[in-house]
Amino acid sequence: MEELDGEPTVTLIPGVNSKKHQMCFDWGPGEMLVCETSFNKKEKSEVVPSCPFIYIIRKDVDVYSQVLRKLFNESHGIFVGLQRIEEELTGKSRKSQLVRVSKNYRSVIRACMEEMHQVAIAAKDPASGRQFSSQVSILSAMELIWNLCEILFIEVAPAGPLLLHLLDWVRLHVCEVDSLSADVLGSENPSKHESFWNLPGNTQTLTELELKWQHWHEECERYLQDCTFASNPHLESLCKIMLGDEAALLEQKELLSNWYHFLVTRLLYSNPTVKPIDLQYYAQSSLDLFLGGESSPEPLDNILMAAFEFDIHQVIKECSIALSNWWFVAHLTDLLDHCKLLQSHNLYFGSNMRECLLLEYASGLFAHPSLWQLGVDYFDYCPELGRVSLELHIERIPLNTEQKALKVLRICEQRQMTEQVRSICKILAMKAVRNNRLGSALSWSIRAKDAAFATLVSDRFLRDYCERGCFSDLDLIDNLGPAMMLSDRLTFLGKYREFHRVYGEKRFADAASLLLSLMTSQIAPRSFWMTLLTDALPLLEQKQVIFSAEQTYELMQCLEDLTSGRPVHGGPDTQQCQDDDIETTKVEMLRLALARNLARAIVREGSLEGF
Amino acid sequence: MVSVINTVDTSHEDMIHDAQMDYYGTRLATCSSDRSVKIFDVRNGGQILIADLRGHEGPVWQVAWAHPMYGNILASCSYDRKVIIWREENGTWEKSHEHAGHDSSVNSVCWAPHDYGLILACGSSDGAISLLTYTGEGQWEVKKINNAHTIGCNAVSWAPAVVPGSLIDQPSGQKPNYIKKFASGGCDNLIKLWKEEEDGQWKEEQKLEAHSDWVRDVAWAPSIGLPTSTIASCSQDGRVFIWTCDDASGNTWSPKLLHKFNDVVWHVSWSITANILAVSGGDNKVTLWKESVDGQWVCISDVNKGQGSVSASVTEGQQNEQ
């Protein structure tokens, strides 16, 4: 087993006395809770003022930064674009397209840097100004690294153009060159060389260039040896520099801001046609010479060195450790993966490094109230564990508003995440019921295809009706459509409402048939039969005969079923007795009405029509 | 980079024993030796006390949030041998149910996966485990497993819901055939796995033996869609084991030693996506562990308490890839 390169880092939680007490902890959906405690329950808790604080800790809090928001948003667009055009990336144009993507990422970083710089300048207090400034330098370092990776890994600059790219790289990033002489040093010779290289056409082969350079180099050496510049130490020094003399270069150390500036300058004068494979030797010695044993390499130096050594995995590893969020490594690794540069290392989490890093990055986004939407797309492009990770995270998004809930649901439905859809709809239905918004609860249960909950809500509707004599949310019930079939109770609710509508339209015969069918089809709960029979009363009392004899017999049967099945109320309770009395009266009334109707129906049916 | 983003002053008057975030990370429940259970709204880095619940007559050991589809429900268990279920109705929190079926301190409560319904498992120092199932209309059905662990049961943890056989969407109205399982850890140094039989009774399905002293905590890892099941256990003997079971029938569990600490390990907990295990290690630290490429568990971060700096520039080590 390989060991970790260093000891795991320690985070100190302030205010908790480590000498005396232990730390209790638990996970939230995106954070951790810690607090002081004493696990040993047998101990009598000393009445010592213990720490009443709970600390909520998170990693990746960069996600909350306002300025970085733009970085996350815009890079998301580039990322998704890259995934989508993957199939179209073929042949010769592939490389240039990938380089273009890389440049896009870098311009986003630079834009963010610029904005952060403005914020730093405008900062009211020096402390936050410093913080922003340090963020700027971190972004600058990220761009520096990315740029180098682009040159070495994506552009795959061969010998010749390699140095030109490196020159541009250094010039772009070490442009804090403020002294004139440094300008001279930096620009004078390249201009001489630019005409030498004959850039636009660049029809010369590498060999031709090398020969020309050798010739020029030898000429310089001759001048030095002939002591042509002996009278002028500056010119002599300049000549030495142009010959790539390291000592001479190092004398100008203040003008070279760092070792990679030194490296490129050195290469320019001693080996401009350096091959990529040889870079690492020059790099290592440049670093050593420049630091001169006085200081040790910083994390950034190690990252750049790893790049010069073409050790991509090392670059990514070091960046993961040095940077405070996963943004950089996730996007860079993904791009390098598209360049087919990563060997597939099987990891437990994510089938390869790319997926592993993307999962980490996307998980971090879910901590944010609106950036989580970006995270969805990242999970989509993780074939192994993206889906299950999305399932776990998306259920935890607080559904504060209807709008947010609908957004989340749409995302789940688009991906056929039926379990999550159901779960979310159930949660919303429950919330609605608790707030007495029955219509909303009903539509959520229908969307959840939750028959049990739909039954529950329908019962509530019916109960409300019994108490108040009218329905709420008529629109919804009237337009249930095929959703009515979800549960028997819901079907009954829909049909019962239909009965009322038909009755209201004075289509009494239809209403009567519907009412009867509700009872005979067993769709109506028995507890509701009395109400239905009572609803039948006005139909029975009409001038014209509505219920046929046959129908009346059926109604009578229902009534008998109902009354015979009722248990005898034997309570001494007065209320109970009163209820019984009301019930008895109702039953009597019904029996009378049914009998009368039956008589009239028989007579009508018995007589010949038209007479 | 790990940072403290919020500090909630609970104003508990005595030792805090547990703190739990709700499903969405918007509310925090805490419980203490001062016998109270408190609920805070912690959205946007704030802290608003929503409820101060009194009802227990002894130190409260644990709290547990039910799944939001059942409403806002919180369970708490205490030294007073009781389990109380609190519910929010019309904006106020009230005691909804009290379960007093144990003869000794109730040490642990854990809600079952929401797919099973509203079911709470409780482990007690009287050695028994009780299971409370909500049957509607404010009624709870109780099933008790007596002598689950001799001397006492310290922890209970449910297995994630997995539909056996096909994972195809069930037609509405039809309840899928879940096999309900949970794990418990006790003073008999054992971890036991329990399964619900067809007749509704709970049966001991497995005994996991590896610890040489009281098992203090068990935690069944959330499912990430892989066929393996994973349980973490920690004990008075200072050891933390990761148990894995590969076959679908769930019969062979193999332990792997995560680490041997030089002190009692009290608590283990899995992150939501199951890729990080937090362990209360020795030296009053909380350590975080992740599985590396070759199946070994590596410590990725130490969360320690102390005075002084809030956080150095701490970062988690990258997983080994070679």
Side-chain angles (χ1 to χ4, degrees), chain B residues 141-159:
Chain B
E141 180 191 271
V142 180
K143 285 195 191 131
K144 200 166 176 198
I145 305 170
N146 282 306
N147 293 314
H149 293 273
T150 47
I151 307 174
C153 170
N154 295 321
V156 282
S157 174
W158 287 89

Side-chain angles (χ1 to χ4, degrees), chain A residues 110 121 388 487 533:
Chain A
R110 271 204 301 277
I121 294 173
V388 68
S487 93
L533 288 166

Side-chain angles (χ1 to χ4, degrees), chain B residues 152-203:
Chain B
C153 170
N154 295 321
V156 282
S157 174
W158 287 89
V162 172
V163 182
S166 76
L167 293 163
I168 297 168
D169 186 31
Q170 299 279 343
S172 64
Q174 216 175 310
K175 267 206 139 81
N177 231 10
Y178 290 113
I179 298 178
K180 299 185 190 131
K181 285 192 192 181
F182 70 90
S184 66
C187 301
D188 51 7
N189 309 348
L190 296 173
I191 298 143
K192 292 192 179 180
L193 304 184
W194 304 88
K195 185 169 117 172
E196 194 192 42
E197 301 281 280
E198 269 151 32
D199 60 356
Q201 294 308 306
W202 287 87
K203 196 180 106 177

Side-chain angles (χ1 to χ4, degrees), chain B residues 51-65:
Chain B
D52 185 342
L53 305 169
R54 309 274 165 167
H56 280 296
E57 288 154 348
V60 188
W61 303 128
Q62 272 192 16
V63 282
W65 289 95

